[in-house]
Amino acid sequence: MKDAAPQTIHLKDYAPPAYLVDEVQLTFRLAPTATRVLSRIRFRPNPEAPSRDFFLHGEALTPIRAAIDGQEVRPEITEAGLTCAVPDAPFTWEAEVEISPRTNTALEGLYMSRGMYCTQCEAEGFRKITWYPDRPDVMAPFTVRIEGDAPVLLSNGNPVGMGEGWAEWHDPWPKPAYLFALVAGDLVARRDSFVTRSGRTVDLALWVRPGDEGKCAWGMEALKASMRWDEDRYGREYDLDVFNIVAVDDFNMGAMENKGLNIFNSAAVLASPETATDANFERIESIIAHEYFHNWTGNRITCRDWFQLCLKEGLTVFRDQEFTSDLRSAAVKRIEDVRMLRARQFPEDQGPLAHPVRPESYQEINNFYTATVYEKGAEVIGMLKRLVGDEGYAKALDLYFARHDGQACTIEDWLTVFEDATGRDLSQFGLWYSQAGTPRVSVEEAFENGTYTLTFEQRTPPTPGQEEKKPLVIPIAVGLLSPNGDEVVPTRVLEMTQARQSFTFEGLASKPVPSILRDFSAPVVLEREVPRAERAFLMAHDTDPFNRWEAARSLARESLIATIREGAAPDADWLDGLAAMLRDDTLDPAFRAQVLALPTQSELAQVLADRGHTPDPDAIHGAVEGLRDAMARHLADLAPHLYESMRVTGPYAPDAEQSGKRALGNAMLALISRRDDGALAARQYAEADNMTLALAALSCLLRVGRGSAELAAFHERWKDDRLVMDKWFALQVMEAKPESAAETAARLTEHPAFDWKNPNRFRAVLGALAGHHAGFHRADGAGYALLADWLIRLDPVNPQTAARMMTAFQTWRRYDAGRQAHAKAALERIAAKPGLSRDGAEMVGRMLG
Ligand SMILES: [Zn+2]
């Protein structure tokens, strides 16, 4: 259903619900196009509410009947919900509606995925199931009865009974409707159990389609590790008798934390060594942890309204980052997270879609499941922890759980907990939640009579709707090195609170070399002219692994910028420093692989734009290719040795050690392939017994213009495996030349296996095109036009996924006039589409400004 006039919802308009819910009973009589949903809901007036207006959300529901305390009523029904005269006292609402899961292609509410019923209710899907106050501050225990022919019938909470064609579930923990879930289908379980620290046994099950049983082991191990970790690190114990996870093929997001019944995009949970890469395994481990951790940060304590989304997401992302750091390498995890932040969040924060971590208005909440809310939200928690210290953080979290369990909370509640637990005033810190934009921090240094002074200046550029910015609290972790490489001042966190502020270090024998923003202690852009020699020194000597990586990275970036701007040759100091780091066996292979990864082409475009130049995607692409060739030449002797020494013997394991070796080995293969015409890659592909080695080899072959036989063989072997076929589709676009990426994507959309209504497949082809910088931003606009065609087609079918992919256009204004004209035409074509969804209209409107 489309809204004629989209409404803007404002944080400041929040009002408590008129009625609260004490109990919900639902009965589902499942049928593909005519499912009946019977609801019986105990309401009571909310003493805190300013009005007694009774309103229940409901969309696309066919009404059958409604009654209050057993008396039939005729509510007034609109396209958004219903109103009805109700008692100013507790009452029971009963209703019956009919819905059609099979024709629900938006994948919100109750829908079907290849014959299986499943749900997605966050943020506002429950209103497509039945009439309900579909807002997170209404929490209630649910009892659910499911009637249907599917052999497996699941819902939230604990099972209370089942028989032929029915099952009943009860969730004793009050929850908002967005955490409701139901699954019915022909599924098989991998089972296990977990004993909590208080000695309760929890039955665990991971439900998949028959045939996928062999891809569940890793997810189950990750679940048990997550349950143990949350007990050990946060004292949080699981609270139901069962924990179920279900893998679903058609899913808009990665996964969903429904109470006791997590639903996962199959790509985010299914893995075997033959079908999934090391990166897939790591991502699965972290998503399983993320959804599990929501049980406390999100479910037991939820959000008062959707403006507070970062309350659950920022905190839970931060927790899953900590989990991965503990299980794997903390340094490598930090680098990965910062790379992701810069690739996804910085462009958002610097473009037309910029918004605060806690937005103040929206038209469609689905458009605010963003990198800013999630990743910058997690960075804000990280800064808070750095400021109050580990002990203060632990105290605050204990207080948060004790004080707010069972409540729907706000960012103010969260910050108050920290103030009460640590005695700090966090009013200025709170600006991180309300002020959009990436702060720029510049640095000056002075040294006199043994005193070293660092003077910082901060400014946050204007963002849409926010011209004036205030100074933020910025924790800047700094260490000082002596010219011989010894650390003379270990890491110290400087607390910047003013627009311009100095910090001094006394008693130094000589002018030190500063290592600033260690561990990336704040999500800012550091603007500092650093001489090349100093960067090379930090690359060789910094004791902070993040900043050591950062020094190497910035040298590579400056070398690329110099090539793009002046045609300069690659920086020989950087190449020498790189060789030295690669030879250093004391460094973790995963870390060395990170040092080899060049800045993304989109990141380079942003750097150029920041410095007042118009980025040319073709020149950027050329410079990156040139630097890779130079690396291949410079490391020609080292690469084969390193490749050999990274070989893993023994059975495959996706752990940190083995995956680090494969990452470095594959990085060497990529360099070697540039000089041996893919001969070694062809051998690796032929011998590979796991997807990590096979896919990397195939990618190298495609890059040197070979690999068509391997590509055909890959297709033949994996054509029945949807997740592997997604890789087959994506790789061809990713490795296409800039001038043919759009044509490659267009050709693949005609492949019989291009099921465009499946979000994973759609993203595999068109998401890969959007991620191909020079291919997407092609001068003749072919990349923009193709993506626009497909977004226009997808929008009426699945507005949420279409709107999310429109963000590919968010940087359009930084390119030249010709490209801008093509991008604008593409956006205007989307905007002009009759019946464009609320999701799409809001996104395009914001990007066109
Ligand atoms: Zn989440």
Side-chain angles (χ1 to χ4, degrees):
M1 197 179 296
K2 303 287 176 292
D3 303 56
Q7 278 191 328
T8 300
I9 320 262
H10 296 275
L11 169 60
K12 62 175 165 48
D13 294 341
Y14 172 83
Y19 287 81
L20 298 173
V21 176
D22 286 327
E23 200 193 342
V24 179
Q25 289 176 33
L26 300 172
T27 299
F28 288 81
R29 297 194 178 125
L30 297 175
T33 55
T35 288
R36 287 290 172 102
V37 185
L38 289 74
S39 59
R40 188 184 154 84
I41 304 167
R42 291 285 304 158
F43 282 102
R44 89 183 129 86
N46 180 6
E48 319 260 306
S51 86
R52 281 280 161 270
D53 296 335
F54 183 74
F55 175 77
L56 301 181
H57 295 97
E59 286 177 17
L61 307 173
T62 304
I64 306 297
R65 63 182 183 87
I68 288 175
D69 289 333
Q71 298 287 315
E72 195 142 322
V73 291
R74 301 213 167 272
E76 192 182 316
I77 298 171
T78 67
E79 62 180 18
L82 64 75
T83 53
C84 189
V86 299
D88 189 8
F91 65 91
T92 300
W93 163 269
E94 286 172 285
E96 183 171 355
V97 299
E98 189 172 290
I99 54 177
S100 173
R102 178 175 284 164
T103 53
N104 177 358
T105 58
L107 316 184
E108 291 174 303
L110 178 65
Y111 65 96
M112 295 189 82
S113 171
R114 294 209 294 151
M116 162 182 170
Y117 293 88
C118 56
T119 53
Q120 171 58 33
C121 293
E122 187 178 1
E124 298 178 335
F126 193 74
R127 62 189 62 182
K128 296 179 173 177
I129 292 175
T130 191
W131 285 303
Y132 197 75
D134 187 8
R135 40 187 291 168
D137 56 354
V138 174
M139 300 171 82
F142 279 57
T143 303
V144 176
R145 180 183 168 88
I146 311 168
E147 299 171 8
D149 347 324
V152 175
L153 305 168
L154 306 171
S155 190
N156 313 89
N158 295 319
V160 287
M162 64 183 66
E164 187 65 32
W166 66 275
E168 269 181 33
W169 293 79
H170 175 66
D171 182 0
W173 299 103
K175 67 167 177 289
Y178 82 85
L179 291 171
F180 168 80
L182 177 155
V183 170
D186 181 10
L187 299 167
V188 289
R190 181 187 176 99
R191 294 183 186 277
D192 208 321
S193 66
F194 179 84
V195 179
T196 68
R197 62 179 184 170
S198 65
R200 278 187 319 104
T201 299
V202 181
D203 293 326
L204 312 176
L206 205 169
W207 298 90
V208 296
R209 289 179 186 282
D212 283 335
E213 298 92 326
K215 296 180 178 175
C216 299
W218 182 251
M220 185 57 84
E221 287 311 307
L223 175 60
K224 289 188 289 179
S226 308
M227 295 176 88
R228 181 65 65 217
W229 186 91
D230 213 15
E231 290 187 350
D232 293 346
R233 284 287 298 269
Y234 280 81
R236 299 295 107 201
E237 197 172 322
Y238 187 62
D239 53 6
L240 290 166
D241 303 336
V242 300
F243 190 88
N244 288 306
I245 292 177
V246 183
V248 173
D249 290 328
D250 298 283
F251 203 72
N252 283 336
M253 309 204 248
M256 177 63 209
E257 70 262 24
N258 316 296
K259 183 79 184 192
L261 177 56
N262 286 188
I263 297 182
F264 272 63
N265 186 326
S266 48
V269 59
L270 300 182
S272 68
E274 298 74 33
T275 60
T277 63
D278 291 335
N280 296 147
F281 277 98
E282 184 178 333
R283 177 163 176 265
I284 287 167
E285 181 180 83
S286 105
I287 296 182
I288 294 257
H290 178 97
E291 307 308 336
Y292 175 74
F293 296 158
H294 268 313
N295 191 55
W296 276 93
T297 52
N299 300 4
R300 292 279 290 252
I301 304 179
T302 193
C303 307
R304 187 194 71 177
D305 52 68
W306 290 119
F307 296 104
Q308 322 294 332
L309 182 58
C310 60
L311 179 72
K312 74 176 180 82
E313 293 306 342
L315 178 55
T316 306
V317 170
F318 180 71
R319 275 151 50 73
D320 83 53
Q321 291 173 346
E322 286 183 305
F323 170 78
T324 303
S325 300
D326 284 359
L327 259 62
R328 293 168 179 261
S329 153
V332 171
K333 176 62 177 161
R334 189 65 189 136
I335 292 166
E336 287 171 355
D337 289 340
V338 174
R339 283 179 62 182
M340 171 81 89
L341 186 80
R342 286 176 176 159
R344 295 187 53 227
Q345 200 275 326
F346 279 21
E348 186 168 271
D349 228 357
Q350 296 169 15
L353 299 179
H355 56 275
V357 170
R358 178 171 67 179
E360 265 143 37
S361 67
Y362 61 77
Q363 289 177 359
E364 172 51 63
I365 186 58
N366 284 335
N367 288 337
F368 284 87
Y369 284 73
T370 60
T372 297
V373 168
Y374 279 67
E375 271 83 36
K376 189 174 178 184
E379 291 296 320
V380 173
I381 311 270
M383 286 190 286
L384 196 50
K385 186 175 182 189
R386 221 176 274 273
L387 290 168
V388 302
D390 291 355
E391 230 173 274
Y393 178 80
K395 256 174 79 182
L397 267 286
D398 285 346
L399 181 59
Y400 180 61
F401 294 123
R403 184 182 285 175
H404 292 297
D405 187 14
Q407 296 179 3
C409 295
T410 61
I411 290 303
E412 284 72 19
D413 294 328
W414 166 253
L415 289 173
T416 303
V417 158
F418 274 79
E419 292 188 326
D420 292 352
T422 67
R424 280 183 74 111
D425 176 357
L426 292 170
S427 42
Q428 188 189 359
F429 184 83
L431 285 172
W432 278 105
Y433 285 102
S434 57
Q435 193 165 285
T438 306
R440 310 299 165 113
V441 175
S442 58
V443 194
E444 291 160 30
E445 54 175 344
F447 181 73
E448 204 174 346
N449 301 330
T451 299
Y452 180 68
T453 305
L454 283 172
T455 303
F456 297 96
E457 224 173 285
Q458 60 164 301
R459 80 188 158 84
T460 303
T463 52
Q466 285 187 344
E467 287 304 311
E468 295 299 315
K469 306 282 184 177
K470 294 179 185 143
L472 295 156
V473 180
I474 303 180
I476 305 175
V478 172
L480 301 181
L481 303 172
S482 80
N484 66 14
D486 296 338
E487 188 162 75
V488 285
V489 175
T491 306
R492 182 185 293 178
V493 178
L494 310 177
E495 252 182 80
M496 185 179 192
T497 56
Q498 298 158 27
R500 184 182 166 87
Q501 201 168 350
S502 296
F503 300 87
T504 56
F505 301 81
E506 279 161 15
L508 294 165
S510 57
K511 179 171 181 288
V513 179
S515 166
I516 301 172
L517 209 65
R518 283 186 154 182
D519 201 36
F520 201 66
S521 59
V524 302
V525 173
L526 197 59
E527 289 178 338
R528 179 167 174 252
E529 296 265 330
V530 185
R532 237 172 50 180
E534 190 178 314
R535 289 194 207 272
F537 174 86
L538 290 172
M539 180 179 174
H541 298 291
D542 204 324
T543 53
D544 180 72
F546 178 85
N547 262 9
R548 200 168 169 197
W549 172 83
E550 181 83 323
R553 176 86 155 186
S554 60
L555 277 174
R557 183 190 65 218
E558 295 311 315
S559 177
L560 286 162
I561 298 286
T563 305
I564 296 161
R565 297 281 304 142
E566 301 136 30
D571 179 353
D573 290 345
W574 176 72
L575 289 167
D576 287 341
L578 190 62
M581 276 176 101
L582 290 174
R583 267 191 218 100
D584 185 349
D585 287 336
T586 65
L587 294 173
D588 177 3
F591 178 80
R592 284 183 271 169
Q594 290 290 346
V595 175
L596 279 160
L598 298 177
T600 66
Q601 296 181 33
S602 175
E603 204 177 320
L604 293 166
Q606 185 62 45
V607 171
L608 286 162
D610 284 349
R611 296 180 189 175
H613 312 298
T614 302
D616 173 354
D618 297 320
I620 294 172
H621 182 266
V624 169
E625 286 299 305
L627 188 56
R628 289 206 177 117
D629 281 339
M631 289 161 72
R633 280 194 304 275
H634 198 82
L635 303 169
D637 293 337
L638 177 62
H641 294 292
L642 205 49
Y643 176 81
E644 280 305 319
S645 68
M646 289 301 129
R647 258 184 208 282
V648 173
T649 50
Y652 173 92
D655 57 21
E657 194 195 334
Q658 278 200 16
S659 57
K661 284 184 162 182
R662 279 186 289 267
L664 187 52
N666 283 335
M668 290 303 107
L669 180 68
L671 297 178
I672 294 166
S673 300
R674 288 177 178 265
R675 297 173 59 81
D676 77 348
D677 198 29
L680 183 62
R683 201 167 81 212
Q684 176 168 315
Y685 185 81
E687 292 170 359
D689 63 354
N690 64 69
M691 182 55 75
T692 309
L693 294 179
L695 203 66
L698 187 53
S699 149
C700 291
L701 289 170
L702 294 178
R703 217 173 295 161
V704 296
R706 291 180 49 179
S708 50
E710 285 83 356
L711 206 54
F714 190 98
H715 177 272
E716 190 50 33
R717 177 165 177 202
W718 297 114
K719 59 180 186 292
D720 296 326
D721 187 310
R722 290 160 67 106
L723 297 177
V724 180
M725 283 305 287
D726 288 336
K727 299 181 196 306
W728 182 84
F729 275 98
L731 193 69
Q732 294 177 68
V733 181
M734 287 158 64
E735 298 303 347
K737 302 258 180 284
E739 59 276 17
S740 59
E743 283 72 15
T744 302
R747 178 173 54 76
L748 288 171
T749 62
E750 280 159 22
H751 191 281
F754 181 67
D755 169 11
W756 62 276
K757 291 181 183 172
N758 174 265
N760 291 357
R761 188 59 48 89
F762 189 93
R763 279 190 287 259
V765 175
L766 294 144
L769 176 63
H772 190 307
H773 186 255
F776 180 57
H777 296 285
R778 207 168 85 180
D780 65 0
Y784 303 146
L786 181 68
L787 185 61
D789 290 345
W790 278 100
L791 292 176
I792 288 168
R793 189 159 174 193
L794 185 64
D795 177 79
V797 170
N798 186 336
Q800 189 179 336
T801 292
R804 229 161 260 186
M805 288 197 56
M806 286 175 197
T807 56
F809 287 98
Q810 69 180 328
T811 56
W812 69 280
R813 282 183 202 276
R814 74 185 176 200
Y815 298 97
D816 54 83
R819 285 182 171 85
Q820 282 195 31
H822 288 303
K824 190 164 182 236
L827 284 168
E828 282 172 346
R829 203 149 56 82
I830 298 171
K833 172 83 202 312
L836 185 68
S837 69
R838 182 171 63 202
D839 309 56
E842 181 183 25
M843 291 302 269
V844 176
R846 284 160 70 202
M847 284 188 287
L848 285 171

